[in-house]
Amino acid sequence: MQVVWQLGRCTVRDVYRTLLDRKEVAYTTVMTMMNVLEEKSHLLKISKEGRAYIYKPSRPQNQVISNMLDDFLTRVFGGSAQRLVLSLVKGRKLSEEDLRSISQMIKKAEAE
């Protein structure tokens, strides 16, 4: 989705080429993922050029990320953001700077 948001309108081949600059990936993997994202209503087929479909994001990035995060929290952590954060802290995935920043954001949110 990051690449689709970056490109705006794109084909599977456009996404594939962009991803190849970053890492080794199979064309069929990109095609499969884009089909899954379309089935989940994150992508829309808007037209066809030759044999290739042109896709675009169905909603703004922040809205899709929010929906994906909600789905992830429900499936993996039973809907508990606290369990997610605890997993990140215990797994040492958050740096001291991350923890300070999160603490400041929490204080700001509580003040509002």
Side-chain angles (χ1 to χ4, degrees):
M1 283 302 303
Q2 294 292 330
V3 174
V4 176
W5 284 313
Q6 175 189 337
L7 298 174
R9 297 170 19 110
C10 57
T11 64
V12 172
R13 183 159 308 283
D14 296 332
V15 173
Y16 170 72
R17 287 180 179 151
T18 302
L19 289 174
L20 270 182
D21 291 340
R22 301 175 192 172
K23 63 181 178 178
E24 186 74 24
V25 64
Y27 179 87
T28 54
T29 301
V30 175
M31 184 171 45
T32 299
M33 287 307 300
M34 289 182 72
N35 285 333
V36 168
L37 290 167
E38 181 191 11
E39 287 171 13
K40 291 186 175 196
S41 301
H42 298 305
L43 289 180
L44 296 173
K45 283 181 186 170
I46 56 172
S47 63
K48 193 171 181 181
E49 289 181 6
R51 294 177 33 207
Y53 286 102
I54 308 296
Y55 294 89
K56 75 171 191 172
S58 62
R59 295 180 299 271
Q61 183 176 8
N62 62 340
Q63 187 179 8
V64 173
I65 289 172
S66 179
N67 290 344
M68 288 178 151
L69 182 57
D70 287 346
D71 180 54
F72 178 75
L73 278 174
T74 299
R75 287 185 296 106
V76 178
F77 295 98
S80 172
Q82 181 180 358
R83 286 180 52 205
L84 167 65
V85 172
L86 186 59
S87 177
L88 291 170
V89 170
K90 283 186 174 181
R92 307 224 189 285
K93 303 292 186 203
L94 297 175
S95 68
E96 292 290 327
E97 186 177 332
D98 290 336
L99 291 171
R100 270 193 303 278
S101 178
I102 290 168
S103 179
Q104 289 172 352
M105 285 186 260
I106 291 170
K107 287 176 185 172
K108 183 179 177 184
E110 288 174 342
E112 293 172 355

